Amino acid sequence: MRILIADDHPFIRKGIRETLADELGCLEICEAPDGIEAYRLLVSMPFDLAIVDIAMPGKDGIELIKEVLPLRPGLPFLVMSVYSEREFAERCYRCGARGYLAKACPPPRFLDAVRRILGGGTYVSPEYAELLLLRNGKEGTEVLSDRELAVMRLFAAGKSLTEIGQELCLSVKTISTYKTRAMEK
């Protein structure tokens, strides 16, 4: 398994690398100190996961995701940032990220996000899922359709699109459409 860690702070890269190595065992971990080097690495070799910061020299994380995904469709990105989810998570998900975490999160939450994403799912923190459901001061059922609400609750519980589809007896494509609509709302 090959993972890229792109962050301009060496100490952060080291902490992520050591946490992954301790918990996931044999990995090939590449590092990039900026968005330009991250782009170069991501287009030159295959990766199973890219963990990127938003604010990096050269290219920010959002720009990096937008430029790499057309060249490496399906490459999962986990964004880690000092910025709150309220400010940037939605932008990251819309451009194709599979997860967004605050750098202040505890290691078990980080590892949960990595495992879910490597397993083909998406990670949304419980706090951000609640924010989505209560957006604009309205209850979730007022903002989302019943089906969108059901999909988002299962998504927030850590279920993959495939698992949600099986549970609701719907295709993965249909679940993805409900998820996209809910995220837009």
Side-chain angles (χ1 to χ4, degrees), residues 25-129:
C26 272
L27 298 172
E28 180 181 345
I29 298 177
C30 299
E31 296 182 30
D34 58 48
I36 302 292
E37 179 65 10
Y39 178 85
R40 187 189 71 71
L41 289 168
L42 289 168
V43 299
S44 67
M45 64 180 79
F47 284 90
D48 297 293
L49 174 64
I51 300 170
V52 302
D53 188 8
I54 286 181
M56 293 185 290
K59 287 185 192 300
D60 67 40
I62 294 172
E63 181 182 5
L64 179 66
I65 294 168
K66 286 179 180 178
E67 290 181 13
V68 170
L69 277 179
L71 304 171
R72 297 275 189 209
L75 172 65
F77 282 88
L78 170 59
V79 177
M80 293 194 71
S81 180
V82 296
Y83 301 116
S84 78
E85 288 175 305
R86 285 181 181 266
E87 295 176 73
F88 285 98
E90 187 170 341
R91 293 177 198 215
C92 292
Y93 288 116
R94 282 191 181 177
C95 74
R98 297 261 196 93
Y100 188 97
L101 282 173
K103 286 183 179 177
C105 76
R109 183 175 282 195
F110 166 71
L111 291 166
D112 181 40
V114 168
R115 286 186 179 108
R116 285 184 192 178
I117 293 168
L118 287 173
T122 303
Y123 178 81
V124 176
S125 74
E127 296 83 6
Y128 189 65

Side-chain angles (χ1 to χ4, degrees), residues 93 98 116 121-124 129 132 149-161 164 175 179 183:
Y93 288 116
R98 297 261 196 93
R116 285 184 192 178
T122 303
Y123 178 81
V124 176
L132 288 173
L149 181 61
V151 168
M152 288 307 291
R153 283 187 176 147
L154 292 169
F155 189 62
K159 303 223 180 228
S160 71
L161 294 178
I164 296 169
I175 297 300
K179 181 187 128 208
M183 296 291 280

